[in-house]
């Protein structure tokens, strides 16, 4: 077991995310994605293949913080190509994004979990002639980041993770953790487990994983609201990551880019495969590639296999959606919604994701996304 912090090995990932961080600052400053633009509206940019036809004015969107870093990249590139168009994505949470969408205050919402039947029913008031649908736009691993002095390699399995976040395992030198990390010098230190304070699709995806792989140790329904007693709460993926970064003995969950951008070590998962699996974009892609479309009609909600034991497949994954009206979109924003989401689903839009800790949507599914976006009304 290697106990020294492997800064060299993390330099490549950190460098890639430093670029992403710079783009975040350029695009939006904080959660406000307004800024200067360039290019020519109604034409394809000479510097890219972004088609600006029909795009105009200001488009508001909000939701998932897990997709914020991907959205920052897309917004910067898109606004540079399409003059006079402003995309403002407010990073909050999946739950807040869906509420805003169903209230008709945003053109689309970002969500890390598909709409529930009652949310679809509610969306018909906003979409009028149609309903809200789920468009998978980006995938990636939900990393378990930790801060434990002297320990930079850490392996956990599903039952142990469940017991940590359920308050059943309280010390880092617990025998269950020691068994999975033979030779490690684990400290007699209290575990500080952090979770999301608000309704979160990332929370729900972690719950789906634990429910599928450690049901006896995680007796909760997979909901957006954190279900277990104890622990400490923080707002957004950025808030959880910040707490883990600051607190020795901490562990939390967030999208991978929050870990790599802050050089937070991440847990390897013992899935029963030949070797523990690291949280990487490539390993998440292996798990997401097996996803099946479970939605009907134009809805492209996916079913993921959280219990995968395939070699190299990282099991705690999420697919984050853009939620839009299939028909009944507001005329003043429809052109911009189609143009922007068309770019995000394009080869060019998907290719920027891997360097920022995300996993592109599998090509077969993404082809359906493009077709659906083109047919929005």
């Amino acid at each position: 077991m290697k106990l020294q912090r492997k800064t060299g090995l993390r330099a490549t990932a950190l460098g890639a995310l430093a670029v992403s961080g710079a783009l975040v600052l350029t695009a939006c400053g904080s959660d406000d994605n307004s800024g200067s633009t360039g290019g020519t509206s109604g034409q394809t940019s000479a510097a890219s293949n972004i088609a600006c036809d029909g795009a105009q004015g200001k488009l508001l969107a909000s939701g998932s913080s897990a997709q914020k870093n991907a959205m920052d990249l897309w917004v910067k590139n898109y606004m540079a190509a399409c003059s006079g168009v402003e995309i403002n994505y407010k990073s909050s949470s999946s739950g807040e994004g869906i509420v805003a969408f169903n209230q008709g205050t945003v053109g689309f919402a970002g969500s890390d979990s598909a709409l529930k039947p009652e949310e679809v029913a509610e969306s018909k008031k906003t979409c009028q002639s149609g309903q809200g649908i789920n468009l998978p736009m980006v995938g990636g691993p939900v990393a378990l980041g930790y801060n434990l002095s002297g320990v930079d390699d850490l392996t956990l399995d599903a039952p142990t993770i469940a017991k940590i976040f359920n308050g059943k395992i309280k010390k880092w030198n617990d025998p269950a953790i020691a068994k999975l990390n033979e030779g490690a010098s684990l400290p007699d230190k209290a575990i500080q487990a952090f979770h999301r304070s608000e309704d979160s699709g990332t929370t729900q995806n972690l719950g789906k994983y634990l429910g599928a792989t450690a049901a006896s140790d995680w007796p909760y329904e997979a909901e957006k609201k954190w279900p277990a007693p104890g622990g400490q709460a923080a707002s957004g993926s950025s808030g959880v990551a910040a707490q883990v970064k600051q607190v020795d003995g901490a562990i939390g969950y967030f999208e991978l880019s929050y870990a790599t951008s802050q050089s937070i070590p991440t847990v390897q998962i013992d899935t029963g495969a030949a070797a523990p699996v690291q949280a990487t974009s490539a390993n998440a892609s292996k798990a997401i590639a097996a996803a099946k479309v479970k939605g009907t009609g134009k809805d492209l909600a996916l079913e993921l296999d959280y219990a995968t034991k395939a070699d190299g497949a990282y099991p705690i994954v999420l697919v984050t959606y853009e939620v839009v009206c299939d028909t009944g979109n507001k005329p003043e924003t429809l052109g911009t919604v189609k143009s922007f989401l068309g770019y995000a689903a394009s080869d060019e839009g998907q290719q920027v994701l891997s360097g920022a800790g995300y996993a592109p949507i599998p090509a077969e599914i993404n082809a359906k996304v493009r077709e659906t976006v083109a047919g929005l009304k």
Side-chain angles (χ1 to χ4, degrees):
M1 176 63 62
K2 300 176 182 178
L3 302 181
Q4 298 298 318
R5 190 169 297 276
K6 298 180 287 185
T7 54
L9 291 177
R10 300 188 188 278
T12 300
L14 181 57
L17 266 295
V19 175
S20 174
L23 292 174
V24 170
L25 293 174
T26 302
C28 63
S30 59
D31 284 340
D32 183 351
N33 290 340
S34 59
S36 61
T37 62
T40 304
S41 182
Q43 300 179 7
T44 299
S45 166
S48 71
N49 294 316
I50 298 175
C52 308
D53 298 48
Q56 60 181 343
K58 185 174 183 178
L59 174 63
L60 300 179
S62 68
S64 162
S65 63
Q67 65 175 256
K68 179 186 185 297
N69 291 339
M71 192 62 68
D72 287 336
L73 290 170
W74 287 333
V75 166
K76 180 182 185 296
N77 294 344
Y78 182 85
M79 288 172 58
C82 300
S83 176
V85 181
E86 180 182 342
I87 311 294
N88 188 322
Y89 181 85
K90 180 182 178 182
S91 171
S92 50
S93 69
S94 299
E96 292 175 69
I98 290 173
V99 168
F101 175 76
N102 281 341
Q103 290 176 341
T105 60
V106 294
F108 69 88
S111 177
D112 304 330
S113 56
L115 293 168
K116 294 180 179 180
E118 58 268 29
E119 291 170 336
V120 173
E122 183 70 16
S123 74
K124 294 180 180 180
K125 299 177 183 177
T126 293
C127 299
Q128 296 182 0
S129 59
Q131 66 180 41
I133 57 173
N134 305 283
L135 300 178
M137 202 63 71
V138 57
V142 177
L144 297 178
Y146 68 96
N147 181 347
L148 193 58
S149 296
V151 178
D152 196 46
D153 281 318
L154 184 67
T155 296
L156 299 175
D157 60 11
T160 306
I161 295 167
K163 290 173 185 175
I164 286 173
F165 282 100
N166 202 14
K168 303 299 183 183
I169 292 179
K170 301 181 182 297
K171 292 289 189 72
W172 279 111
N173 62 347
D174 187 276
I177 300 177
K179 184 178 180 180
L180 292 164
N181 296 273
E182 294 183 5
S185 181
L186 297 168
D188 182 18
K189 182 182 290 291
I191 296 174
Q192 306 289 332
F194 286 88
H195 59 264
R196 292 281 290 274
S197 60
E198 74 285 7
D199 286 3
S200 162
T202 310
T203 294
Q204 189 171 39
N205 278 278
L206 176 63
K208 288 179 179 178
Y209 163 72
L210 294 175
T213 56
S216 60
D217 297 304
W218 192 256
Y220 310 107
E221 294 294 326
E223 300 290 348
K224 294 186 179 109
K225 184 177 179 62
W226 181 254
Q232 301 177 63
S235 177
S237 293
S238 59
V240 175
Q243 290 298 318
V244 172
K245 179 73 173 180
Q246 294 170 9
V247 178
D248 190 18
I251 187 171
Y253 59 94
F254 30 79
E255 188 275 325
L256 179 62
S257 67
Y258 291 93
T260 50
S261 64
Q262 299 185 55
S263 196
I264 299 173
T266 60
V267 172
Q268 299 180 87
I269 306 298
D270 183 347
T271 64
V277 186
Q278 294 182 331
T280 68
S281 295
N283 290 344
S285 292
K286 292 179 182 178
I288 294 171
K292 305 294 183 185
V293 175
K294 66 176 182 179
T296 58
K298 295 182 180 179
D299 184 82
L300 298 177
L302 300 180
E303 183 174 0
L304 299 168
D305 181 10
Y306 295 96
T308 181
K309 295 182 179 180
D311 287 345
Y314 184 80
I316 317 177
V317 293
L318 61 79
V319 169
T320 187
Y321 300 92
E322 312 313 334
V323 176
V324 296
C325 297
D326 55 0
T327 61
N329 290 279
K330 294 179 180 178
E332 61 269 27
T333 57
L334 175 59
T336 310
V337 168
K338 293 177 68 172
S339 174
F340 177 71
L341 295 185
Y343 159 63
S346 70
D347 288 339
E348 183 178 347
Q350 291 289 296
Q351 284 169 2
V352 305
L353 298 176
S354 295
Y358 293 98
I361 297 299
E364 182 179 350
I365 295 171
N366 196 44
K368 297 178 181 178
V369 173
R370 295 180 194 176
E371 180 181 354
T372 303
V373 168
L376 295 177
K377 299 178 181 179

